[in-house]
Amino acid sequence: MKLYGYWRSTSSYRLRIALALKGVTPDQVPVHLVRDGGEHRSAAYRRINPQGRVPSLALDDGSVLIQSPAIIEYLEEVFCEPPLLPEDPVARARVRAVAA
């Protein structure tokens, strides 16, 4: 598994938190958003993520997931323990608010 992200990206940061809570440690691939006009705009990165955004998570089977909410939902479905959201609906809403 490879995580393409930028250290200052809040979306990448949110995903790194979820990965750490799940105990999943993908290889980190930095995508600099400023250097040379932004590496996320390069043709090489656009082949990984046509939207040209970070984060992207490349799975071992070659699939690439994009957008941090979708990736976090995938992690929750595949790596069920520990759950990222509490059982109480109000507490769940608060966690979602922080993440948004």
Side-chain angles (χ1 to χ4, degrees):
M1 206 181 286
K2 290 183 183 177
L3 174 61
Y4 296 85
Y6 183 59
W7 69 278
R8 290 179 112 178
S9 159
T10 57
S11 297
S12 295
Y13 185 68
R14 174 182 21 226
L15 181 53
R16 287 193 308 271
I17 291 169
L19 286 161
L21 289 170
K22 292 289 186 181
V24 178
T25 54
D27 294 332
Q28 301 276 332
V29 181
V31 179
H32 203 288
L33 301 183
V34 179
R35 184 183 312 132
D36 299 326
E39 294 173 353
H40 61 298
R41 295 185 173 132
S42 72
Y45 185 69
R46 292 273 184 153
R47 283 191 290 277
I48 295 163
N49 182 343
Q51 289 184 349
R53 297 180 176 180
V54 295
S56 299
L57 185 67
L59 305 179
D60 293 336
D61 70 358
S63 301
V64 177
L65 305 177
I66 59 174
Q67 296 289 351
S68 61
I71 299 169
I72 290 170
E73 287 182 27
Y74 165 83
L75 293 172
E76 188 72 351
E77 292 169 3
V78 173
F79 304 97
C80 301
E81 293 296 327
L84 296 174
L85 296 172
E87 289 187 29
D88 176 67
V90 172
R92 290 170 80 89
R94 288 185 179 137
V95 170
R96 287 185 177 114
V98 169

